[in-house]
Amino acid sequence: MFNGVVCSLFMSETIGSRIEKARKNKELTQTEFGREIGLSQQAVASLEKRDTIPKHIVKICQILGVSYEFLVTGDKSNTVSTQVDDGNLYSETAIVEMLPIAFNRTIVAMSKHMQANGEKLDIFEHKEEIADFLTKSLIGELSGDYSKFVESYNSLSSKVKGKG
């Protein structure tokens, strides 16, 4: 009995092993999979050995056809997904986990840029632009595509300059 418990502790699946299993189920080589997510074969091999959440986990989930919850926890049950402004579905767990990261990066980026340019942000006057910027920041964190983030930031910055 004890040996079974010890073996199950050492044999537990990691995020990387679930990625590897899902990749193989899709009949993708590490090289093919890497090309789709923008990584080398060596980086994919390393990713499959780790138990940390990869940077582009949402893109990985989409390519492999698995849920965020499955990759992170191994839970195969249905999860609630929400469609965000970029048209993609993201699990609520992914959104909740990425929101503080996106918010922090947004505040830091805004503060540094505004201070460097002697600009002042009025949260009431610019609330719609700030909301759009935060949304795009979250989408950037989830998808790994920061182009909308940059567009939204430039829009916010130009509004602040126009009022400054």
Side-chain angles (χ1 to χ4, degrees), residues 19 22-23 26 28 33 59-66 71:
I19 290 172
R23 175 185 58 78
K26 285 284 205 179
L28 292 171
F33 179 58
K59 188 173 186 179
I60 291 170
C61 292
Q62 291 169 341
I63 291 167
L64 298 178
V66 297
L71 284 186

Side-chain angles (χ1 to χ4, degrees), residues 14-109:
T14 63
I15 294 171
S17 66
R18 285 188 286 276
I19 290 172
E20 178 181 19
K21 189 181 291 185
R23 175 185 58 78
K24 287 180 177 179
N25 284 341
K26 285 284 205 179
E27 299 180 358
L28 292 171
T29 65
Q30 288 179 335
T31 302
E32 293 166 335
F33 179 58
R35 237 181 265 129
E36 290 195 44
I37 60 172
L39 296 175
S40 67
Q41 179 275 324
Q42 294 84 356
V44 171
S46 174
L47 178 78
E48 292 178 349
K49 292 178 185 167
R50 290 185 270 155
D51 195 27
T52 56
I53 298 174
K55 185 175 183 178
H56 300 296
I57 191 162
V58 173
K59 188 173 186 179
I60 291 170
C61 292
Q62 291 169 341
I63 291 167
L64 298 178
V66 297
S67 72
Y68 174 89
E69 283 75 15
F70 169 71
L71 284 186
V72 174
T73 68
D75 183 6
K76 296 179 185 177
S77 65
N78 290 334
T79 59
V80 177
S81 293
T82 302
Q83 188 166 3
V84 185
D85 284 355
D86 67 347
N88 290 315
L89 290 175
Y90 298 103
S91 73
E92 289 186 6
T93 304
I95 292 170
V96 167
E97 287 186 3
M98 289 299 187
L99 194 55
I101 294 167
F103 185 73
N104 184 49
R105 286 190 189 185
T106 300
I107 297 303
V108 169

